[in-house]
Amino acid sequence: MELIFLPAFTLTLSEFSPAEVVRASALTQVVRQLFPAFGVATLATILQSRQAFHFSTIAQTVTPDSIGAIQALSSLENAASQLGVPLAVAKQNAVQVLSGMVEGQAAVAALNDVFLIIAFMALVALILSLFLRKSKTLKTEQPAGATTTPEIAD
């Protein structure tokens, strides 16, 4: 995000007189600290809600009647029983492993959603940054006691 914020803040600060830059710089620092925190919190919330959404969507398709679930459960049960695990424990472990696989798929889909949101926001910010222009009038102040024309002493 610094690739976007730094040029925008530099352009913004160039609009202020040297006396105003101190206050504007302090405000810029506050914005640089707060906005990323809000952004991370927002993206974490989106990630969590999208993961719950994808988990429920995938879990609806993984039923005891679906062919993929039956194959996965039977192969996990067979592998556990070959290791000498009792059948009831093997079935329970197979269901837990299948649930973990569904959670993993949901997490990957949720991360993909968040990535697409971030990419879209970066693209919009990049396009908007192309329209930033430097002001034609720069404010300059004379130092105290300075004169515009030199005085000639007699």
Side-chain angles (χ1 to χ4, degrees), residues 62-131:
V62 179
T63 62
D65 299 333
S66 65
I67 295 173
I70 292 170
Q71 290 174 346
L73 287 173
S74 65
S75 66
L76 289 169
E77 289 170 7
N78 289 337
S81 64
Q82 287 178 355
L83 296 173
V85 177
L87 185 59
V89 175
K91 285 186 179 207
Q92 183 181 9
N93 288 343
V95 170
Q96 289 175 348
V97 168
L98 188 61
S99 175
M101 292 170 64
V102 170
E103 286 178 9
Q105 289 295 319
V108 169
L111 286 169
N112 187 39
D113 293 347
V114 170
F115 174 77
L116 291 175
I117 290 169
I118 292 171
F120 176 74
M121 289 171 47
L123 181 64
V124 168
L126 180 66
I127 291 170
L128 290 176
S129 70
L130 296 175
F131 294 105

Side-chain angles (χ1 to χ4, degrees), residues 14-151:
S14 71
E15 296 294 318
F16 293 100
S17 68
E20 296 172 323
V21 166
V22 174
R23 284 184 279 166
S25 177
L27 182 62
T28 303
Q29 291 301 321
V30 169
V31 168
R32 286 180 64 188
Q33 294 295 320
L34 286 179
F35 280 3
F38 286 125
V40 168
T42 302
L43 289 175
T45 303
I46 292 171
L47 179 67
Q48 187 177 16
S49 66
R50 294 303 295 173
Q51 186 171 0
F53 168 77
H54 286 298
F55 180 81
S56 65
T57 303
I58 295 170
Q60 288 177 357
T61 61
V62 179
T63 62
D65 299 333
S66 65
I67 295 173
I70 292 170
Q71 290 174 346
L73 287 173
S74 65
S75 66
L76 289 169
E77 289 170 7
N78 289 337
S81 64
Q82 287 178 355
L83 296 173
V85 177
L87 185 59
V89 175
K91 285 186 179 207
Q92 183 181 9
N93 288 343
V95 170
Q96 289 175 348
V97 168
L98 188 61
S99 175
M101 292 170 64
V102 170
E103 286 178 9
Q105 289 295 319
V108 169
L111 286 169
N112 187 39
D113 293 347
V114 170
F115 174 77
L116 291 175
I117 290 169
I118 292 171
F120 176 74
M121 289 171 47
L123 181 64
V124 168
L126 180 66
I127 291 170
L128 290 176
S129 70
L130 296 175
F131 294 105
L132 291 176
R133 298 284 182 234
K134 192 167 184 174
S135 173
K136 292 183 177 156
T137 59
L138 291 176
K139 299 177 184 177
T140 58
E141 287 184 1
Q142 294 287 335
T147 59
T148 55
T149 58
E151 295 180 14

